[in-house]
Every structure is written in structure tokens, then in C-alpha cells.
């Protein structure tokens, strides 16, 4: 797995991930099995449809859907490993998946920007001294 973290701006980052098909094959297969257990096709018990029949009926649709879930899970693993600390909801973009080939995706996310505060010590600070009169308080109450 190749991971590249790009800083787009002070508050936005992007993670580019490239994985070989061998790295994700088991995860894709597991996800397809989970999805197939929910299907009811005439002639088969619920969840007992052979994978070849699913492939014939639905093509690669299950694998494409599973690839998004694998990308999401992979992103959160990368977040833990690299201590990225995203804020808000990350956005999965530019996903490139073809069954049997390498898998690529990008995730945009926001981060708390680091601020460089300079020369703030020894600055004079004016604190206004407000005097409130009794009649002003009475006026506000009325």
C-alpha cells in the first residue's frame, strides 16, 4: 500500500492511496459475501445464491460497492497509523477500481490549522472601565 498525504491548504489535506488487488481481494470478497446474504433470488434460499450466479445477474456491481467500503475502512486505518486527526466528514473522491487491477482513491478532509502567533507578549492592553449609573439600569429594566 502506498500512502501519500498532500497539504492542499492550511486547513485542508488530501490522502492518496494506491493498493494492489491482492491487498484488497479478501476484503472485497468478504464484503460481497455479506451483501449476497441479504439477497432473495427465486430458486435459492436467502443468502445461498452461488457467486457465479450473482456475477452473471449483477456483473461487478457488488465489487464496486464493496470497493467503496474497503476504501473507507482503509482511510480510517491510515488515520490511526499516521495520526492525521481529520475534523468533519472526510470526502472520498477519485476512486479508481477495476476488478483484478490495482485500486486507487483519494480522500479530502479538513484539519485544524496551526496558527503561528508572533509578538503578542509585552503588548499593552487597554481594559475599559465602564461606569454604570443607576438611572441607566432603571431605563433598561423598563
Amino acid at each position: 500500500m502506498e500512502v501519500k498525504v498532500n497539504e492542499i491548504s492550511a486547513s485542508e489535506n488530501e490522502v492518496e492511496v494506491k493498493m494492489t488487488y491482492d491487498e484488497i481481494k479478501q476484503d472485497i470478497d468478504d464484503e460481497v459475501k455479506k451483501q449476497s446474504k441479504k439477497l432473495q433470488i427465486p430458486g435459492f434460499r436467502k443468502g445461498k445464491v452461488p457467486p457465479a450466479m450473482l456475477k452473471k445477474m449483477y456483473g461487478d456491481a457488488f465489487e464496486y460497492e464493496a470497493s467503496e467500503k474497503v476504501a473507507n475502512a482503509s482511510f480510517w486505518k491510515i488515520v490511526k497509523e499516521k495520526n492525521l486527526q481529520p475534523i468533519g466528514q472526510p470526502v472520498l473522491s477519485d476512486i479508481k477500481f477495476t476488478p483484478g487491477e490495482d485500486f486507487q482513491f483519494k480522500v479530502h478532509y479538513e484539519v485544524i490549522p496551526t496558527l503561528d502567533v508572533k509578538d503578542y507578549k509585552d503588548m499593552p492592553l487597554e481594559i475599559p472601565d465602564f461606569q454604570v449609573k443607576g438611572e441607566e439600569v432603571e431605563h433598561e429594566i423598563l
Side-chain angles (χ1 to χ4, degrees):
M1 174 181 351
E2 294 178 37
V3 178
K4 184 177 176 186
V5 179
N6 302 323
E7 186 175 322
I8 297 173
S9 68
S11 63
E12 252 187 303
N13 286 357
E14 176 184 71
V15 173
E16 289 184 50
V17 181
K18 294 179 184 177
M19 304 170 85
T20 63
Y21 187 71
D22 293 336
E23 289 178 303
I24 64 166
K25 183 175 180 4
Q26 187 61 44
D27 294 334
I28 296 281
D29 291 344
D30 292 346
E31 198 60 45
V32 169
K33 284 178 188 174
K34 280 183 195 175
Q35 293 174 8
S36 67
K37 289 184 188 253
K38 299 174 187 174
L39 289 177
Q40 177 72 41
I41 295 179
F44 297 96
R45 290 181 293 163
K46 186 175 182 179
K48 301 295 182 182
V49 182
M53 179 69 78
L54 290 174
K55 186 86 165 170
K56 182 179 176 186
M57 293 177 74
Y58 297 104
D60 294 329
F62 286 126
E63 289 185 2
Y64 283 107
E65 188 174 330
S67 70
E68 290 182 24
K69 292 182 180 182
V70 168
N72 189 26
S74 298
F75 170 72
W76 289 110
K77 284 179 190 173
I78 292 166
V79 165
K80 281 186 177 180
E81 289 172 3
K82 298 207 179 263
N83 196 22
L84 298 179
Q85 301 177 345
I87 58 172
Q89 185 64 36
V91 178
L92 180 65
S93 64
D94 199 20
I95 188 167
K96 295 177 185 172
F97 175 73
T98 304
E101 294 181 12
D102 290 350
F103 180 48
Q104 299 178 5
F105 64 92
K106 293 180 183 178
V107 179
H108 283 80
Y109 63 96
E110 294 179 350
V111 293
I112 297 174
T114 54
L115 301 175
D116 224 6
V117 182
K118 297 179 182 177
D119 300 329
Y120 69 94
K121 292 184 179 183
D122 299 327
M123 288 181 67
L125 179 64
E126 287 185 30
I127 301 174
D129 186 23
F130 292 109
Q131 299 293 326
V132 181
K133 298 177 184 171
E135 57 217 31
E136 291 173 338
V137 173
E138 288 296 322
H139 176 66
E140 287 296 320
I141 292 173
L142 293 175

